């Protein structure tokens, strides 16, 4: 059964996160629960930065209760956190940070990118954790471009990079707590692809470049297509050369209580998270 379009989000205004990330927030759990288990998605750029002596970004801040997934298309970022993890990710690479019980971290343009300047383009996705895993130890996955399998789509429709889950019997390298698919698709003009989607999964299509058609609906860059949960297949027709990020996930169907960088299940857990951060129990960054 084919999935149908539930809605299309467009005309998203841009705002700054820190001084390094001009983003459009395509969705947030604060607006609707239809994105479960995904909490938020920010699309940054493309934005041309001039060379600078000081690195731009977001300074020290905490997270608890979820994961952040950063996919870089252009530019280069550096990450460091209170668990001791540190990484630099460039074009095609992914940073999958499980905050879980809590980390303090920072995200900046890399020193080289700041010095040379250039175009930044990236996506940051927040993925919720089940209640039973929210206080797990933090984990960091730095996924290199070379670790992400590229699968040719049938009928010369394009390619898909399988970051998480499985697509056309090809598994992705990311470790996840619940069933999630993250597929980075490059579609050729005039091509079409049919994806099998696990029944009941929340399914989102983020059009980053070009224009696509799903049934009778059309979406272009930068727009978000939300599909109904009914059905287990989706067909995407590409009117032009396009790039589409496909997200599917099994809903958690648990209470979501968030405040700033913390997403838990109860208000008491939020208060505890704030106290733990303020008292230093989430750690500190070593500079």
């Amino acid at each position: 059964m084919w999935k149908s379009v539930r809605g299309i989000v467009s005309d998203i205004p841009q705002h700054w996160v820190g001084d390094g990330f001009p983003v459009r927030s395509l969705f947030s759990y604060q607006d609707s629960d239809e994105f479960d288990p995904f909490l938020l998605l920010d699309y940054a750029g493309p934005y041309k930065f001039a060379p600078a002596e000081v690195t731009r970004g977001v300074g020290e801040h905490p997270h608890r209760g979820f994961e952040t997934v950063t996919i870089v298309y252009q530019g280069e970022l550096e990450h460091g956190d209170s668990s001791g993890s540190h990484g630099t990710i460039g074009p095609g690479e992914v940073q999958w940070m499980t905050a879980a019980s809590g980390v303090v971290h920072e995200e900046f343009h890399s020193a080289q990118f700041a010095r040379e300047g250039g175009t930044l383009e990236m996506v940051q996705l927040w993925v919720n954790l089940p209640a039973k895993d929210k206080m797990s130890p933090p984990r960091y996955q730095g996924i290199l471009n070379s670790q992400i399998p590229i699968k040719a789509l049938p009928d010369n429709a394009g390619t898909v990079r399988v970051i998480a889950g499985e697509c056309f019997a090809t598994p992705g390298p990311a470790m996840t707590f619940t069933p999630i698919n993250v597929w980075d698709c490059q579609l050729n003009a005039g091509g079409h692809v049919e994806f099998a989607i696990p029944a009941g999964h929340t399914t989102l299509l983020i059009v980053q470049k070009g224009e696509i058609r799903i049934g009778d609906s059309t979406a272009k860059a930068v727009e978000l297509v939300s599909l109904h949960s009914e059905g287990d297949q989706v067909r995407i027709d590409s009117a032009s050369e396009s790039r589409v990020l496909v997200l599917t996930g099994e809903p958690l169907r648990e209470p979501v209580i968030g405040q700033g960088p913390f997403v838990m299940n109860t208000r008491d857990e939020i208060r505890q998270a704030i106290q733990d951060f303020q008292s230093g129990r989430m750690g500190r960054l070593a500079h």
Side-chain angles (χ1 to χ4, degrees), residues 77-113:
L77 304 180
E78 288 185 3
H79 156 92
D81 67 45
S82 54
S83 73
S85 297
H86 182 274
T88 300
I89 55 171
E93 298 179 338
V94 177
Q95 170 192 288
W96 198 297
M97 187 192 77
T98 305
S101 60
V103 296
V104 176
H105 81 142
E106 60 184 12
E107 300 163 287
F108 284 95
H109 299 177
S110 73
Q112 180 175 339
F113 180 76

Side-chain angles (χ1 to χ4, degrees), residues 117-140:
T119 300
L120 177 72
E121 184 181 11
M122 53 169 273
V123 162
Q124 185 168 96
L125 169 72
W126 289 14
V127 181
N128 202 7
L129 289 171
K132 66 181 181 62
D133 296 315
K134 282 185 177 290
M135 294 302 288
S136 299
R139 181 173 70 190
Y140 178 83

Side-chain angles (χ1 to χ4, degrees), residues 151-160 168 185-194 236-238 240-242:
K151 179 77 173 178
L153 296 173
D155 302 319
N156 195 36
T159 60
V160 57
F168 291 109
C185 303
Q186 300 281 342
L187 304 177
N188 295 326
H192 78 272
V193 60
E194 298 175 3
I236 303 173
D237 290 89
S238 186
S240 61
E241 186 176 315
S242 304

Side-chain angles (χ1 to χ4, degrees), residues 126-209:
W126 289 14
V127 181
N128 202 7
L129 289 171
K132 66 181 181 62
D133 296 315
K134 282 185 177 290
M135 294 302 288
S136 299
R139 181 173 70 190
Y140 178 83
Q141 301 175 71
I143 304 173
L144 301 177
N145 192 25
S146 59
Q147 296 174 297
I148 301 173
I150 301 175
K151 179 77 173 178
L153 296 173
D155 302 319
N156 195 36
T159 60
V160 57
R161 296 196 317 144
V162 187
I163 296 170
E166 184 174 300
C167 185
F168 291 109
T170 301
M175 295 181 289
T176 68
F177 282 79
T178 57
I180 292 170
N181 291 301
V182 180
W183 304 332
D184 184 23
C185 303
Q186 300 281 342
L187 304 177
N188 295 326
H192 78 272
V193 60
E194 298 175 3
F195 289 118
I197 305 293
H201 269 215
T202 296
T203 305
L204 308 172
L205 312 177
I206 295 87
V207 185
Q208 299 164 307
K209 176 184 175 184

